[in-house]
Amino acid sequence: MTERNIQVEPIDRRAVEDQDIEIVERKGIGHPDSICDGIAEAISSALSQAYLDRVGKVLHYNTDETQLVAGSSNPQFGGGEMVEPIYILLTGRATKEYEGTKIPTDTIALEAARDYLNENIPELDVGTDVILDVKLGEGSGDLQSVFSEDGATVPMANDTSFGVGHAPLSETEQIVLNAEDRLNNEFVAEYPALGPDVKIMGKRERDTIDVTVAAAMVDSYIDNRDEYDEMVENVRDYVHGVAEEYTDREVNIHVNTADTEDSIYLTTTGTSAEMGDDGSVGRGNRANGLITPNRSMSMEATSGKNPVNHIGKIYNLLSTSIAETVVSEVDGIRDMRVRLLSQIGRPIDEPHVADAQVVTEDGVTLADIEDDIVAIVDEELANVTTITERAVNGDVRTF
Amino acid sequence: MTERNIQVEPIDRRAVEDQDIEIVERKGIGHPDSICDGIAEAISSALSQAYLDRVGKVLHYNTDETQLVAGSSNPQFGGGEMVEPIYILLTGRATKEYEGTKIPTDTIALEAARDYLNENIPELDVGTDVILDVKLGEGSGDLQSVFSEDGATVPMANDTSFGVGHAPLSETEQIVLNAEDRLNNEFVAEYPALGPDVKIMGKRERDTIDVTVAAAMVDSYIDNRDEYDEMVENVRDYVHGVAEEYTDREVNIHVNTADTEDSIYLTTTGTSAEMGDDGSVGRGNRANGLITPNRSMSMEATSGKNPVNHIGKIYNLLSTSIAETVVSEVDGIRDMRVRLLSQIGRPIDEPHVADAQVVTEDGVTLADIEDDIVAIVDEELANVTTITERAVNGDVRTF
Amino acid sequence: MTERNIQVEPIDRRAVEDQDIEIVERKGIGHPDSICDGIAEAISSALSQAYLDRVGKVLHYNTDETQLVAGSSNPQFGGGEMVEPIYILLTGRATKEYEGTKIPTDTIALEAARDYLNENIPELDVGTDVILDVKLGEGSGDLQSVFSEDGATVPMANDTSFGVGHAPLSETEQIVLNAEDRLNNEFVAEYPALGPDVKIMGKRERDTIDVTVAAAMVDSYIDNRDEYDEMVENVRDYVHGVAEEYTDREVNIHVNTADTEDSIYLTTTGTSAEMGDDGSVGRGNRANGLITPNRSMSMEATSGKNPVNHIGKIYNLLSTSIAETVVSEVDGIRDMRVRLLSQIGRPIDEPHVADAQVVTEDGVTLADIEDDIVAIVDEELANVTTITERAVNGDVRTF
Amino acid sequence: MTERNIQVEPIDRRAVEDQDIEIVERKGIGHPDSICDGIAEAISSALSQAYLDRVGKVLHYNTDETQLVAGSSNPQFGGGEMVEPIYILLTGRATKEYEGTKIPTDTIALEAARDYLNENIPELDVGTDVILDVKLGEGSGDLQSVFSEDGATVPMANDTSFGVGHAPLSETEQIVLNAEDRLNNEFVAEYPALGPDVKIMGKRERDTIDVTVAAAMVDSYIDNRDEYDEMVENVRDYVHGVAEEYTDREVNIHVNTADTEDSIYLTTTGTSAEMGDDGSVGRGNRANGLITPNRSMSMEATSGKNPVNHIGKIYNLLSTSIAETVVSEVDGIRDMRVRLLSQIGRPIDEPHVADAQVVTEDGVTLADIEDDIVAIVDEELANVTTITERAVNGDVRTF
């Protein structure tokens, strides 16, 4: 039996799916806060890999403070232009020299940010529409980590921190998460007029789900108001179709509800960062991609944190992973919350407490499944360094 | 009877005070994230007042994106020095001209930030230890607000947003909140060696409360390790005394637990921003001053938002105010959560739903107190503009 | 006969060619100061054209203050890398709105700078090796100019300013100017290892000319010290060949004389801006491409100034053009200086004084050629707006 | 007899005082270019002293690239305000660590710049009217200098460079130099309405001297147009009085000639940097305080250069000092130019050539005074390190 302190207990609330009112939000990949999250995590992954390539281990860094200052634009049917560029300051700490080897952290960060923007916000011309600036301080040398290419050893927690994860997603959560994801992948392939800045708010009152979508349209693909209105209608229909895959409840879709006769959500680049909306890391989606006030959330910004030794990042990712694994492998769970609390000075695979709180389905008792849950939690904790590996490879969702 | 949609219902969880594990955190006023929150809110208040003075109403602005890039320092017993200055970028949007009157928003922001730092982080020499830079974009003219010196009219909600507040504070929450507050006011008056960057984590497991304090010491007041250790002891004793005022549970206080023989938490300016810790608005304390994963939290940054028309700010402040008022005026409430959900296009004093969820004390039923609760919620909503007034006057806590 | 105040008189010194000691310098196109000059003038031309395209006339701007902050690099035989990027701040003033039309001056400036760097310093990867930032203030509206697509009218001088030009170039000047030009065009086509940062100092003592070349070599084309030394030799031979085309005097060529066994002039990008050398507009070459302490020079920065109404720019370009034209069309001139002095409030084609000072060749008297000189000066003044046209088209040398 | 290569010869032109047309300009201490020069030199002196204090010798640095980006203001009779702050970027290179001792170069630079502005441009509130930012790169370690508190040894020239100085000043030069100096010291003590941004252009045609003064007036001291006009008159009278001390020629004084009925030279802070005029180091006055197109000038920026090993700075200061000393000690010199040309690798007190060119007064032959001149030049060269000492102490004029 494990020596880890794993507790399984009933959750002290109803399953979110059973609550009367539920609110769920997701800021899409082109939202200014998400742009910052995405850049921060892309830099993190690039730095990790550069350290491994050059010195064989990941050195100390944190790049979780990217700040976006909005530009201004002049969108026009058929194609407008940026007037003042967006300014993005890449900031944080990174180790710049190690045993005589210099690591060009600033140019790595700039390149990672540029590549990320080119791939994810393609209408932005990086360099004219966006200024990328960098102020990476020197990390303190004594925090160098032990994650090396020879394999990972489990680091000690150097902070008291807390991670929380949930599973399964409620219907409303699934709708919000998948609607944004599929709009920005499947839908946009057919309709390039949709920009990546899609913000979705889901509100469920008992058995009625209202999904409100704010979708930035790209002016160069839209020649007049009729085409704009048609695109709004296309988005509505598409999201409705997505929603029906995840629920039998009544669903109402609202798209760009703030539009008036004179004012519509037309942009030149597909993101509201072009005109007045600033952004920061850690202000938007939590590590599971959602903002869920009905559930416990960690304030910790996950994107851009060092995945080797930042306990907040690791525990947020790991608790989510644990919850998802448990729910997929153990039957009878209606709602589950996993909390991990670190203890300074002990290995991170031995948290002060790992706390699995469960709402079982009717006919299932916690006693029936407790051992299975403990076993999975234990195994996932034992494999904590796979979280690090995946983050180094850019293979985790952090926002 | 009110026409507002006010619902009172039992909360679907135990009172936080009755849960087994409780975690509470507060980043003190000198923490880099709190510095950003404080500056952002100080600028907000200064801009509001400037608009009122100059054009008779508060115009559109949001200054909730202050970004701090850490400096580097060389602390020494007896007094060290800053080596590289902290860089703080004041950003956001503000209306710079109104009917021919120019508003010097950039210089107002710089002055407000400087004054705030001088008052709250007195060891920082603004201008040499800290660079203040500013990039305030032009706000879009069509969002000008209606809050004028002739009195407020209630604005329409222009976003779907959500605010949440709680009362009363649990014992652990009271300890964490008051320990930081009193360290930074009462204690520091006697012991100037304590810097304002005090971070407090409270963890309660059933009836044992562990309070972990990370307290930046100011080197110019400390001549050697013995004096440092004595200060650590002073903080411990003081916090223990504070804690005992709020609880009869067992309390353990831990101060600067990461100290080793070679490494202590000594700073030149009293904030970790001097050496490697960046900060942002909205990444730290919620509007009630705490981070409380056991409770619903809003992700919305409250500091720096326009208090006239930013529904997220108003509803976070108002829901907290409502919860506090209800609990102080109505007996028999053990725990209470107030949620306010806006509806686009309707006056903000008529939320889509105002949802008061209550855990009553033994012997009290919700029916006994429901009418009283509704009446108070109704009155507070009717007086929503007092929240704006207080924020304009710099008279609310936002972090 | 002209009514312009044109004076022809003997110059009160020997011809430069006849002086005992002569010093001539040119900072090549890749020198940090020249990079700034080049960017400033490229932005100027781009803005002029944008104004003509969008509002039919050139509006007020000046972009003569580009500042380059050097980066750091780690050059290596076979190819090194940039470590910290070069930072270039594009600054100045520009009119951003005209009768309701917005001019995206910032993005135009960024694009012009990027294009200029891509073309002229090809080894620099703009965006990772170089950060381009922009702070263009709003120009004062009342200085809008009168140069329109309908044809130019001659503007009034709004400043007391001074321009000076010379012809013909001395042998040493020709060597310095052409050696840099041909190294950076002809030679580099064959030997890409030569970077564009070539600085040439010519010193003539009576009949001996010493040419000292500091030439940044590009590491990716050079695999070892022998290849480096060979390149140095190639440059020396090439410059020697160039020099002999312009003089029969004794010529000694010195290349990279600061090299030691341990330290050579090896770079990653071909410019010393990559490692410690900052640059500014107007600190290097004068409008004729040279620094010539033996001759009168104007302190005025020519690059980046508005070519419609900036009298300093126009008079420096025009006086050089006049001197060159006179010398090419009138025989018997050994040395000539043309000075133009503006008079506030009068048309710029009517300078306060146009002062042509001449050293004639043996056997020629000033009286023989005075009328011809006056006629040419008069005609060039009458056609002053062609200078503006050429500058708008990017068709003048300014550094 | 000296072994230095000192040549004395007739100058190959008339004395400037005897030329027909003479142009002289001085940008006063509050001109944007002069502000940059002044800050750059103040930082240089502060760094030199800090190095001496901390490590006993002056280390490598150059801070000659300060860039000022103008703000915008709203001047009003009786007192207006800054609208957008002036931005000043302090840049250059400095050694940040030496044998384990860290030198806080950035904070030293910020403090020196702030102190300089507070003293010289007192109406500017540094921190709100002006943003000071800093980007000082790491200097290359191998260029550390040998100027130590134990006394100076003469360094080797590491560049081919050139310095030039003149004496005595012509009447026009004396008028321009002293008018600005006394306006900004004596006059302003009585009339604080005069700002420090005073630009003076002197133009002499034979025996008529026109002095054109552009003087920024400070709005808080001037309540209406009449008071403004009175101040203009006061400046005119004062400058006329100054001029008459230096010449018997006819003098005409012109003050703020660009004023119209609607537009006057009124400022809030006393410098045109508040509204649209950018500035840079080395773009304005030469090391003797003047711009003198009738004389040879060096393009080298003197301000901010390291006074220990920057040969351009040292030779510009030294050649001026030599010329002044010779003229004050040797009778019979009507005009004199001293040129110093360095030779790489030789001690800087042994220039390649020191070239004194002289116009003697009637009745004096060069032979009469040649030996005296050579002796003084020789002695001044021998004492070259006193130039360094004075620059370290902030005791030289560099602009």
Side-chain angles (χ1 to χ4, degrees), chain C residues 17-34:
Chain C
E17 198 72 273
D18 300 331
Q19 297 179 17
D20 287 350
I21 293 180
E22 183 186 359
I23 293 170
V24 180
E25 187 182 351
R26 173 161 171 79
K27 296 174 175 175
I29 201 160
H31 184 281
D33 287 334
S34 297

Side-chain angles (χ1 to χ4, degrees), chain C residues 207-284:
Chain C
D207 286 331
T208 304
I209 300 174
D210 283 88
V211 179
T212 304
V213 180
M217 302 297 181
V218 179
D219 58 9
S220 56
Y221 297 101
I222 295 179
D223 283 336
N224 50 53
R225 179 63 187 254
D226 285 347
E227 289 185 25
Y228 176 86
D229 290 339
E230 198 181 313
M231 268 302 298
V232 167
E233 205 53 43
N234 290 337
V235 170
R236 183 173 7 239
D237 291 348
Y238 182 82
V239 172
H240 200 273
V242 170
E244 289 188 324
E245 296 183 30
Y246 298 97
T247 190
D248 295 324
R249 287 169 164 134
E250 179 192 344
V251 177
N252 304 306
I253 312 293
H254 314 272
V255 179
N256 292 2
T257 48
D259 286 352
T260 65
E261 199 155 326
D262 300 326
S263 163
I264 57 175
Y265 197 176
L266 192 70
T267 66
T268 293
T269 63
T271 169
S272 61
E274 74 174 45
M275 191 65 180
D277 282 2
D278 297 347
S280 295
V281 175
R283 289 268 292 263

Side-chain angles (χ1 to χ4, degrees), chain A residues 12-13 19 64-65 67 91-93 162 203 205 276 278 280-281 283 286 293 296-297 299 341 352, chain B residues 12-13 19 23 64-65 67 91-93 203 205 276 278 280-281 283 286 293 296-297 299 341 352:
Chain A
D12 61 353
R13 58 161 169 79
Q19 297 179 17
D64 61 323
E65 298 273 348
Q67 174 70 39
T91 176
R93 311 284 110 192
F162 166 88
K203 173 167 62 76
E205 286 196 69
D278 297 348
S280 296
V281 175
R283 290 267 292 262
R286 300 298 89 194
S296 301
M297 292 186 286
M299 282 294 115
L341 181 65
H352 183 69
Chain B
D12 61 352
R13 58 163 169 76
Q19 297 180 17
I23 293 170
D64 61 324
E65 297 274 348
Q67 174 70 38
T91 176
R93 312 284 110 192
K203 174 168 60 76
E205 285 194 69
D278 297 347
S280 295
V281 175
R283 290 268 291 262
R286 300 299 87 195
S296 301
M297 291 186 285
M299 282 295 113
L341 181 65
H352 182 70

Side-chain angles (χ1 to χ4, degrees), chain A residues 19-182:
Chain A
Q19 297 179 17
D20 287 350
I21 293 180
E22 182 185 358
I23 293 170
V24 180
E25 187 181 353
R26 173 161 171 77
K27 295 174 175 176
I29 201 160
H31 184 282
D33 288 334
S34 297
I35 290 175
C36 292
D37 283 327
I39 288 175
E41 185 65 11
I43 294 172
S44 171
S45 178
L47 281 177
S48 286
Q49 290 169 23
Y51 286 131
L52 285 172
D53 286 350
R54 288 163 181 253
V55 301
K57 55 182 158 180
V58 177
L59 302 178
H60 180 59
Y61 73 85
N62 277 308
T63 59
D64 61 323
E65 298 273 348
T66 299
Q67 174 70 39
L68 183 153
V69 183
S72 71
S73 63
N74 188 13
Q76 298 289 342
F77 287 125
E81 66 189 355
M82 290 293 295
V83 174
E84 294 174 290
I86 298 163
Y87 173 85
I88 302 181
L89 180 61
L90 312 176
T91 176
R93 311 284 110 192
T95 307
K96 300 188 173 186
E97 190 164 356
Y98 182 75
E99 295 184 355
T101 300
K102 283 186 184 171
I103 321 292
T105 55
D106 288 7
T107 51
I108 290 169
L110 287 167
E111 189 170 12
R114 183 175 62 181
D115 291 351
Y116 180 83
L117 289 173
N118 284 340
E119 185 176 334
N120 290 286
I121 323 284
E123 301 290 335
L124 281 179
D125 180 0
V126 181
T128 63
D129 295 340
V130 186
I131 294 168
L132 292 173
D133 198 359
V134 64
K135 284 184 189 278
L136 282 181
E138 182 73 29
S140 41
D142 55 310
L143 289 169
Q144 284 146 9
S145 76
V146 294
F147 183 78
S148 78
E149 51 192 2
D150 306 326
T153 55
V154 176
M156 302 294 143
N158 58 6
D159 200 0
T160 298
S161 194
F162 166 88
V164 60
H166 304 270
L169 295 185
S170 72
E171 288 177 6
T172 310
E173 289 168 339
Q174 290 181 73
I175 291 169
V176 169
L177 189 66
N178 285 287
E180 189 274 335
D181 185 59
R182 289 167 60 179

